[in-house]
Amino acid sequence: MGLADLLLAGSVLLPFQVTGDAIPAPLGGLTGDAARGRALVASRSQGLCLLCHAAPIPEERQQGNLAPDLQGVGQRLDAGQLRLRLVAPHRVNPETVMPAYYRAGPDAGLNRVAAEFEGKPVLTAQQIEDVVAYLRTLK
Ligand code: HEC
C-alpha cells in the first residue's frame, strides 16, 4: 500500500494546524463535496451526527436535540471553524460530548459507541472535507 492508499483507508492521520478556534487549511489540501457530506451527516452507520443534532435532512425523521441545530451553522461558522469542531471539538470545549471525528484510539471518544473504529479515525480526511463543504451550505 502506498501513502495515498493509507490516507484513503483512513489509517494515516494528516497533520493539521490550529489557529485560534479554527483549522484554516483543508486537510491534505483536499476539496470537499457537499453532496457526499450530506450523505455522511445523514448516515446512521458513519456520521451519527443526527444522534445528537438536528439538520435540514427531512428524509431522516429521527433527529437529535442534545446539540445545536445544524441549520444555519454555515452562517455562524466559517470553514476553518467547522473543521476544528469536527476534527478536535475538545479544543473548543474540553467538556464536550461530541466525538473527535479525525482522531484515532481512545481519544476519539466514540469507542464507547462503536469499538470497530478503534485505531482509525471515524472519518477520513476527505470525508471531513466533504462534511465541512456540506455544513457551509447550511446558511
Ligand atoms: C454525541 C453527540 C454528538 C455527535 C454524535 C455529534 N455532535 Fe456535533 N456537537 C455536539 C454538541 C453537544 C455540540 C455543542 C458544542 C459543545 O459541546 O460545546 C456540538 C457542536 C457541533 C458544531 C458546532 C455548532 C455550533 O453552532 O457552534 C458542529 C458544526 C457540529 N457539532 C457538527 C457535527 C457533525 C457534522 C457531526 C457528525 C459528523 C456531529 N456534530 C456529531 C454533539 C454531537
Side-chain angles (χ1 to χ4, degrees):
M1 258 200 190
L3 181 59
D5 299 314
L6 289 170
L7 286 173
L8 272 179
S11 42
V12 168
L13 291 184
L14 295 167
F16 54 84
Q17 179 98 45
V18 178
T19 306
D21 77 331
I23 299 174
L27 298 177
L30 295 163
T31 301
D33 177 288
R36 283 197 311 245
R38 185 185 191 279
L40 283 164
V41 170
S43 153
R44 305 225 154 243
S45 56
Q46 260 194 309
L48 303 170
C49 315
L50 300 183
L51 279 182
C52 300
H53 290 275
I57 300 182
E59 69 274 21
E60 288 296 329
R61 296 273 188 75
Q62 285 190 1
Q63 305 201 353
N65 59 11
L66 185 96
D69 193 328
L70 294 176
Q71 177 69 62
V73 79
Q75 198 126 39
R76 294 195 294 278
L77 301 174
D78 67 24
Q81 291 172 315
L82 291 166
R83 192 173 291 113
L84 178 63
R85 280 150 184 80
L86 295 171
V87 166
H90 307 86
R91 298 277 194 111
V92 181
N93 172 8
E95 308 282 292
T96 190
V97 296
M98 177 156 160
Y101 279 88
Y102 196 64
R103 226 195 258 180
D107 274 358
L110 208 82
N111 292 334
R112 280 167 304 166
V113 186
E116 72 263 29
F117 292 131
E118 211 171 309
K120 267 190 174 188
V122 181
L123 299 179
T124 65
Q126 180 64 62
Q127 289 173 324
I128 293 284
E129 293 308 323
D130 293 345
V131 173
V132 169
Y134 167 63
L135 294 176
R136 288 290 295 150
T137 69
L138 302 182
K139 305 247 162 140

